[in-house]
Amino acid sequence: MSNSTQSLSGLTALVTGGSRGLGLLMADELAARGSTVVIAARDSEELASAQKKLRARRQGAAIHTAVCDVRDQEAVHLMFRAAHDTCGGPDIVIANAGIIQVAPVEAIGAAEFREAMETMFMGAVHTSLEALPYLRESPQGGRLALISSVGGLLGVPHLLPYAGAKAAIGVLAEGLHAEAASTGVSVTAVYPGLMRTGSHLQAEFGGAYSSEYGWFSALAGAPVISMNAQRAAERIVKAVVRRRTRLVLTPAARAADLAHGLAPAAVTRLNGVMARLLPGAPAGHRPVRPGKDIAPPDGALSSRFQAWGSALNEQAADAYNERET
């Protein structure tokens, strides 16, 4: 059981992107507080595996699944109606579905930007619009959370489709908070930093595949720089329960947020320096590939750095349903 003791017994929570990673961990935390939980994702096999993990971890918890592509508003509409008919509510909704594309801008095209916006931003729009009528009817006042990212606070090199979509989610969350306040529904904008979830295996990489995979997987799992994902999930659910307006996770993300607010031009110039340190793109456009299909970098120094940084992330991948079985 979480250290946070506020019970959610009698309430129903729905988490999109709930079959792995942070979504799975937030579902676990909600179940620990006594909530009936619905996890939604596109892959039925992943959902079945996630449901099994959650039921084993939380004996007696009510865990339901919903196969849904959040890019399709009608599918999202039907998902909420089915969840309501089966479980009641929902009283808590967390829009978490997302993808990560790691590549220099010259190695990708408009299609990657469109996919990021459709999956993350429009997915959050569809989830929010379809959730609000149910949340307004919640006896305790509904709670909605939209998961943005530190990438939504400033333009991170080699993550531009992801950062653009996450920035739009942050604006959506803040606007919805203002408009929904009079109805008793709270909206929380969440900006996580790097977390050890094993997401490097599901992320998509373009350009110099091994090099891009190497730096991202190392930083995403490095101690101090990245955050324990279970702790992140606990803090997010706590913030949603307490109806916080905004949550920025990890010291590095908070520092980046503060620096960008105080000196945006300087941060932009620093990002330019960082971009020059990242791998260049080989000639010609190549399709993005998932991390699970990419070999780590083979240079002596770079391979050791990648192995050191991603060691904790590799462990997380098994625990948080990121690795195919």
Side-chain angles (χ1 to χ4, degrees):
M1 175 67 73
S2 164
N3 292 330
S4 302
T5 57
Q6 183 169 347
S7 174
L8 298 177
S9 179
L11 302 182
T12 297
L14 187 148
V15 182
T16 68
S19 63
R20 52 184 165 88
L22 179 62
L24 178 66
L25 289 168
M26 291 188 294
D28 177 65
E29 178 65 14
L30 290 160
R33 290 171 175 260
S35 176
T36 295
V37 177
V38 180
I39 52 174
R42 287 183 285 184
D43 190 310
S44 60
E45 292 185 3
E46 264 190 13
L47 280 169
S49 175
Q51 183 183 47
K52 183 178 179 181
K53 286 179 182 290
L54 289 173
R55 285 179 170 172
R57 182 171 169 82
R58 304 295 176 190
Q59 295 292 327
I63 308 294
H64 302 266
T65 64
V67 178
C68 181
D69 186 342
V70 295
R71 297 173 298 182
D72 181 346
Q73 186 172 2
E74 179 61 20
V76 176
H77 173 79
L78 294 174
M79 173 186 69
F80 274 105
R81 189 168 70 186
H84 175 74
D85 292 346
T86 301
C87 310
D91 307 281
I92 300 168
V93 173
I94 301 180
N96 172 71
I99 57 173
I100 303 175
Q101 300 145 312
V102 185
V105 70
E106 61 265 33
I108 55 176
E112 283 76 19
F113 285 87
R114 188 175 298 111
E115 183 181 8
M117 291 299 290
E118 286 290 333
T119 300
M120 290 184 283
F121 177 61
M122 291 309 301
V125 169
H126 295 156
T127 300
S128 300
L129 294 179
E130 298 299 334
L132 283 170
Y134 296 99
L135 296 176
R136 294 187 191 108
E137 297 299 320
S138 174
Q140 295 190 17
R143 299 170 174 91
L144 173 66
L146 274 59
I147 307 299
S148 180
S149 166
V150 63
L153 298 172
L154 65 162
V156 180
H158 291 220
L159 286 164
L160 287 185
Y162 177 82
K166 289 296 191 179
I169 289 173
V171 172
L172 175 66
E174 293 175 9
L176 286 174
H177 176 84
E179 294 208 27
S182 63
T183 69
V185 176
S186 61
V187 182
T188 303
V190 181
Y191 299 88
L194 290 169
M195 292 175 295
R196 297 186 290 276
T197 63
S199 62
H200 62 296
L201 297 177
Q202 299 291 338
E204 298 176 339
F205 297 86
Y209 295 130
S210 291
S211 298
E212 296 288 348
Y213 175 81
W215 78 260
F216 180 82
S217 60
L219 290 183
V224 181
I225 297 174
S226 65
M227 182 177 186
N228 177 280
Q230 181 69 57
R231 176 61 179 148
E234 291 172 1
R235 290 190 59 191
I236 292 168
V237 171
K238 184 177 181 180
V240 174
V241 170
R242 293 186 173 183
R243 302 182 184 277
R244 286 187 57 180
T245 304
R246 191 173 193 264
L247 175 67
V248 181
L249 290 170
T250 78
R254 290 195 294 273
D257 184 30
L258 178 62
H260 190 265
L262 294 174
V267 172
T268 300
R269 286 194 294 271
L270 180 60
N271 272 341
V273 174
M274 290 177 54
R276 286 192 286 272
L277 299 175
L278 293 174
H285 179 77
R286 298 191 294 173
V288 294
R289 294 172 55 188
K292 61 184 177 61
D293 295 338
I294 297 174
D298 55 9
L301 181 60
S302 58
S303 62
R304 284 199 297 270
F305 174 69
Q306 191 274 334
W308 167 81
S310 65
L312 292 176
N313 238 356
E314 292 293 335
Q315 297 173 22
D318 293 313
Y320 307 150
N321 213 35
E322 296 277 9
R323 199 186 305 277
E324 293 183 355
T325 58

